[in-house]
Amino acid sequence: MRLTYTSDVWWKNAVVYCLDVETFKDGNGDGVGDFRGLTQQIDYLAGLGVTCLWLMPFFPTPNKDDGYDITDFYSIDPRLGTLGDFVEFMRTAHDRGLRVIADLVVNHTSDQHPWFKESRSSKNSPLRDWYVWSDKPEPDDPSKVVFPDKEDSLWEWDNRSKQYYLHSFYKHQPDLNVANPEVRDEITRVLGFWMELGLSGFRVDAVPFLIENVDPKLPDPHEFLQDMRAFMTRRKGGSILLGEVNVPYPELVKYFGDGLGDQVTMCFDFISMQKAWLSLARQDAGPLADALRERPKPPKDGQWAMFLRNHDELTLDKLTDEERQEVFDAFGPEKDMQIFGRGLRRRLPTMLGGDLRHVKMAYSLLFSLPGTPVIFYGEEIGMGENLAEEGRLAVRVPMQWTPDGGFSQADPVREMPEGSFAPDRVNVADQKRDTASLLRWFQLLIERYRECPELAWGTYTVLDAGHHAVFAHRCDADGASVVVVHNLCDTAVDAELKLPGLEGHQLTDLLVDGTLDVSDDATVKLPLGPHGCRWLRASPPQIAPEDAGVMSQ
Ligand code: GLC
């Protein structure tokens, strides 16, 4: 594939790294991460090979939902720095070839936002209609409450102005009313502001809530997403929207803008993420294979964003009750590990019992799945969670840089884990020196992923590997093919693949070493160790293996 093309549509095989400025690196010694600290770590991120940073909310906030409750969309949380620090950070990131996107949280504001204070001041407030008000707490459906540990209704009574207001999330997060053109205009200004400061796009929080929970119902709620995307493209071609859209596939394609692809550029693939966990729990490739076979094709230039963990709970809401229980039993059996009745507040390595071979296989799988991988800070060194922290904050612990923590000289904003996932056991400094470390494995996976654009761009086919524990797929683009095989179980197995069209080809291992021959009847047999994984590039017999490798070798 031509690099001039894949780099133009940069998001389609980007490697996205999500971080929270607050917990990444403290630059001024007050215990809270900040832009100055983050800026000093840009070379680390560039060295890891990621291509795009996704910053969790960094705006002024009362911090009742870790910054997802904003009081000013045009400024920086003073604990994290100033606009000046932000611009210095952006410049340095760009200097090292990194793009930056940020969370766009406009489904709601904090109840401390001046807009809401004004709106609730009276029924006649000029900003009354910026939020969703009603005389009756209806329609209400307690099953739609997102945080059932704290809320039991979508409406809250406002004693001052004698009406109820809608809140899809916590009651301190009143929903903005995007049916109001003034609100839509203001959101557009917010986009424009941060794009002027260099952002390449936004991770859009809670997209279905944003366009559906409005008053009056918009005749075509998706028009708003179209307008946002069109505005961004006018201002800066190649800027993207990465949508948090956790709905079933048939509904999801609408958020891409169906075949037109004029709405959200990329959607997180919550479905295959959940099925991947079910597959890991069962040591059976079936659920993941079925999901990927069913998954609709995104429109041209659209892409799926792939992930295994993020900053929220590992939501298993799209599994059946029995399936969810299987994942709970395997990876989070204790009540304290579970949250909202639907998820786990754990990081991946602890769920896999700290078994490095298993963890490496899981991430090899993630980077090879068709789409754009998104990782959460600390995944690259195998950080664990701290269940002593409240709710979802358990997974948002400070980044572990050195054996003594290295995040801050003061007491950190949140406690790091103890025991086998404490910083003296899991940290960047040690793993940089250890060629067998997870960090080095991530670097290799990222390098190979970038060298194999077929994985993200190609037509993929999920293969039958002759063993239920083996997940195998091939990706073909522009006459080139990459074949990837993962053994989900902890015993050695033999896989056998049929690779039509690759008769007599040689398969060169891109991760370790060696070659395999595809027989004249298009069959290849490959032994896989416990949790073994192989990425193989096919080349016609007339090309010597050393030339057949990755494009830039
Ligand atoms: C999204 C975010 C989550 C936040 C919620 C409300 O789901 O991922 O962290 O609490 O929106 O903004």
Side-chain angles (χ1 to χ4, degrees):
M1 296 199 68
R2 286 206 332 264
L3 272 181
T4 43
Y5 187 46
T6 56
S7 70
D8 208 21
V9 193
W10 63 270
W11 57 91
K12 248 187 135 156
N13 66 335
V15 178
V16 181
Y17 187 97
C18 169
L19 67 89
D20 190 356
V21 180
E22 185 185 23
T23 51
F24 200 62
K25 178 76 185 173
D26 175 12
N28 65 357
D30 64 356
V32 182
D34 47 40
F35 277 103
R36 290 190 182 191
L38 168 60
T39 308
Q40 280 302 109
Q41 303 306 320
I42 296 251
D43 277 334
Y44 165 74
L45 295 165
L48 179 58
V50 302
T51 66
C52 177
L53 307 180
W54 152 22
L55 304 185
M56 287 167 65
F58 50 77
F59 314 95
T61 171
N63 232 346
K64 287 190 177 169
D65 184 16
D66 199 23
Y68 284 87
D69 46 331
I70 295 170
T71 51
D72 181 359
F73 290 102
Y74 296 102
S75 176
I76 306 275
D77 179 347
R79 297 175 318 138
L80 312 184
T82 63
L83 269 177
D85 295 331
F86 176 83
V87 169
E88 287 302 296
F89 152 73
M90 287 299 302
R91 197 212 65 84
T92 315
H94 286 163
D95 180 63
R96 300 303 202 267
L98 295 174
R99 293 174 185 270
V100 183
I101 63 173
D103 249 290
L104 179 75
V105 189
V106 287
N107 171 70
H108 48 263
T109 66
S110 160
D111 61 357
Q112 300 306 308
H113 196 295
W115 300 341
F116 187 66
K117 287 187 175 168
E118 170 57 44
S119 178
R120 77 184 334 182
S121 65
S122 120
K123 279 187 186 143
N124 304 320
S125 159
L127 296 195
R128 186 67 173 175
D129 192 42
W130 278 42
Y131 293 83
V132 184
W133 295 97
S134 166
D135 291 329
K136 290 196 192 130
E138 289 171 4
D140 202 6
D141 178 355
S143 73
K144 291 210 171 124
V145 167
V146 181
F147 298 131
D149 59 330
K150 297 268 163 61
E151 308 296 346
D152 54 15
S153 162
L154 300 174
W155 297 91
E156 182 67 12
W157 175 249
D158 180 47
N159 215 11
R160 217 162 318 173
S161 60
K162 309 288 180 213
Q163 270 189 318
Y164 292 89
Y165 65 85
L166 180 74
H167 61 88
S168 300
F169 295 88
Y170 293 116
K171 60 167 78 70
H172 58 76
Q173 292 166 320
D175 277 33
L176 278 167
N177 184 18
V178 303
N180 181 334
E182 287 177 20
V183 173
R184 293 204 297 270
D185 270 1
E186 190 65 40
I187 292 175
T188 310
R189 263 192 290 278
V190 171
L191 296 173
F193 178 83
W194 293 104
M195 284 169 66
E196 270 320 294
L197 294 187
L199 289 189
S200 296
F202 301 87
R203 176 263 185 190
V204 195
D205 194 56
V207 186
F209 300 90
L210 171 67
I211 61 171
E212 295 292 349
N213 295 353
V214 295
D215 181 42
K217 285 261 166 259
L218 288 165
D220 178 6
H222 286 266
E223 214 175 75
F224 176 47
L225 295 176
Q226 276 168 343
D227 290 348
M228 266 172 44
R229 176 76 180 280
F231 168 83
M232 288 171 62
T233 307
R234 283 197 303 276
R235 288 277 169 103
K236 195 167 161 188
S239 50
I240 61 148
L241 293 172
L242 165 58
E244 184 196 24
V245 193
N246 179 11
V247 302
Y249 285 141
E251 227 178 289
L252 215 154
V253 286
K254 287 190 225 146
Y255 290 83
F256 277 121
D258 294 303
L260 289 176
D262 58 355
Q263 296 179 34
V264 174
T265 330
M266 299 208 283
C267 289
F268 284 105
D269 187 352
F270 277 91
I271 306 295
S272 67
M273 180 279 285
Q274 301 190 34
K275 297 290 184 174
W277 280 102
L278 186 59
S279 275
L280 290 171
R282 288 185 181 166
Q283 307 203 348
D284 176 357
L288 176 60
D290 291 345
L292 287 170
R293 285 190 178 116
E294 263 167 42
R295 187 174 81 167
K297 219 174 145 190
K300 185 171 179 293
D301 293 350
Q303 183 59 296
W304 292 104
M306 310 305 292
F307 67 111
L308 284 171
R309 284 300 291 114
N310 66 10
H311 63 293
D312 282 326
E313 79 280 8
L314 161 57
T315 182
L316 301 166
D317 67 335
K318 297 290 183 289
L319 301 183
T320 65
D321 291 348
E322 292 74 32
E323 290 170 341
R324 185 177 318 108
Q325 195 55 48
E326 282 181 62
V327 181
F328 279 2
D329 291 344
F331 300 129
E334 289 166 32
K335 271 272 162 276
D336 192 31
M337 299 167 172
Q338 301 163 12
I339 186 166
F340 308 141
R342 61 167 185 257
L344 292 172
R345 48 188 212 112
R346 305 194 77 190
R347 280 176 170 259
L348 182 141
T350 53
M351 289 193 268
L352 302 188
D355 174 355
L356 187 58
R357 204 169 42 178
H358 202 174
V359 173
K360 285 183 170 178
M361 185 278 291
Y363 283 111
S364 166
L365 180 66
L366 171 66
F367 279 98
S368 69
L369 288 178
T372 294
V374 181
I375 53 176
F376 184 45
Y377 75 93
E379 290 200 274
E380 72 276 23
I381 53 168
M383 273 168 48
E385 68 279 353
N386 182 2
L387 292 177
E389 293 290 341
E390 205 216 325
R392 291 167 296 154
L393 298 183
V395 302
R396 303 181 193 175
V397 288
M399 182 69 180
Q400 299 175 186
W401 295 101
T402 59
D404 59 359
F407 163 72
S408 172
Q409 283 155 7
D411 281 346
V413 60
R414 235 162 259 150
E415 295 293 330
M416 295 184 181
E418 291 174 356
S420 43
F421 289 89
D424 61 335
R425 309 283 282 279
V426 177
N427 67 73
V428 172
D430 288 350
Q431 293 196 24
K432 272 190 172 175
R433 290 192 297 259
D434 175 2
T435 50
S437 68
L438 188 61
L439 179 62
R440 291 298 196 94
W441 181 245
F442 263 71
Q443 280 173 325
L444 177 70
L445 293 174
I446 293 173
E447 194 177 303
R448 292 296 178 264
Y449 171 79
R450 296 283 292 163
E451 288 165 348
C452 297
E454 293 83 2
L455 292 172
W457 280 81
T459 304
Y460 70 86
T461 315
V462 179
L463 305 172
D464 178 359
H467 191 291
H468 69 272
V470 178
F471 182 82
H473 66 292
R474 65 182 276 183
C475 299
D476 303 276
D478 287 357
S481 305
V482 177
V483 178
V484 192
V485 191
H486 287 89
N487 177 9
L488 306 189
C489 79
D490 48 16
T491 52
V493 299
D494 288 315
E496 183 173 319
L497 307 176
K498 277 276 177 208
L499 299 171
L502 299 182
E503 294 82 358
H505 278 54
Q506 199 159 59
L507 300 178
T508 307
D509 195 312
L510 303 178
L511 295 181
V512 193
D513 225 351
T515 56
L516 290 161
D517 292 321
V518 186
S519 71
D520 290 338
D521 70 346
T523 309
V524 67
K525 293 190 179 156
L526 32 101
L528 288 163
H531 297 311
C533 47
R534 306 192 75 171
W535 294 27
L536 304 154
R537 176 172 285 285
S539 45
Q542 64 273 24
I543 300 180
E546 51 272 27
D547 306 331
V550 288
M551 299 176 6
S552 57
Q553 251 180 8

